[in-house]
Amino acid sequence: MKKLFLILFLFTAGTSIAQEGVKVSNNTVTTKEIPPIWPGCEASAGDTKACFRKKLTQHLKENYKFPKDANGNYIRGKAVVSFVIDKEGKPVVKKVEGPKKELNEEAKRIILAIPQMKPGQLAGKPREISYKVPFTF
C-alpha cells in the first residue's frame, strides 16, 4: 500500500508542476520567449513584437534631437546603443559606441527616455531582453 501511495504521489507531483511558456513533448523541452510589452500594446492581437517596434520607432522620431557643439554647429556622426529592458521593464544602457561624446550622450538620453513597460519573459519568468539601436546624426 505504501508503494502505491508513493507511485501515485510521484505521478501527481510530476504532472502538477507546469510553467507558462514551457512545452514538453517526448524528450524535448521548448521554452517561449515573450518580448517586453510597450504601454498601449497590451491589446495587440498577439503581435506584440510588431507593436513594440512601431512604438520604439515612434519614440525615437519624437525624441530625436541633433546635438550642437560650443559654436552652435550641428554635430554629425554615428552612435550605436546596446541596452536591455530589465526584469522590472525599465531600459538600462549597457554600452554606447561612437566616436563623439556628444552623440553618445544624446543617443543614451533617447534610450533612457523609453517608458517603463511590462518586462519580457522566458518560460513564464521575467528576464532581460537585449536590443541594439544605431543612430545617425
Side-chain angles (χ1 to χ4, degrees):
M1 190 69 165
K2 288 182 182 179
K3 288 183 182 179
L4 180 63
F5 281 123
L6 179 62
I7 292 172
L8 185 61
F9 174 75
L10 290 176
F11 259 115
T12 58
T15 57
S16 66
I17 300 173
Q19 292 180 345
E20 183 182 336
V22 177
K23 181 180 176 185
V24 179
S25 175
N26 296 330
N27 291 335
T28 306
V29 177
T30 308
T31 57
K32 182 178 179 184
E33 182 177 274
I34 300 170
I37 300 175
W38 197 285
C41 290
E42 297 88 0
S44 294
D47 199 6
T48 55
K49 281 185 182 181
C51 185
F52 180 90
R53 284 190 302 268
K54 180 181 173 185
K55 293 283 190 175
L56 178 61
T57 303
Q58 181 182 353
H59 170 79
L60 296 176
K61 287 179 183 177
E62 290 173 358
N63 291 285
Y64 208 83
K65 294 180 184 172
F66 284 91
K68 294 181 180 181
D69 63 13
N71 298 326
N73 298 320
Y74 289 110
I75 303 172
R76 300 286 182 189
K78 294 183 180 187
V80 178
V81 181
S82 300
F83 69 100
V84 297
I85 302 299
D86 69 10
K87 293 178 181 181
E88 286 81 42
K90 298 176 185 174
V92 177
V93 174
K94 295 291 186 178
K95 186 163 98 174
V96 183
E97 299 174 83
K100 299 179 181 175
K101 181 182 173 188
E102 297 88 351
L103 300 179
N104 294 346
E105 289 174 359
E106 180 60 18
K108 183 177 178 179
R109 181 197 67 78
I110 294 169
I111 295 301
L112 291 176
I114 290 174
Q116 184 169 350
M117 56 190 77
K118 184 178 176 185
Q121 296 181 357
L122 180 65
K125 296 180 181 178
R127 103 169 250 225
E128 292 183 344
I129 306 290
S130 300
Y131 295 95
K132 192 177 249 190
V133 177
F135 290 88
T136 303
F137 294 97

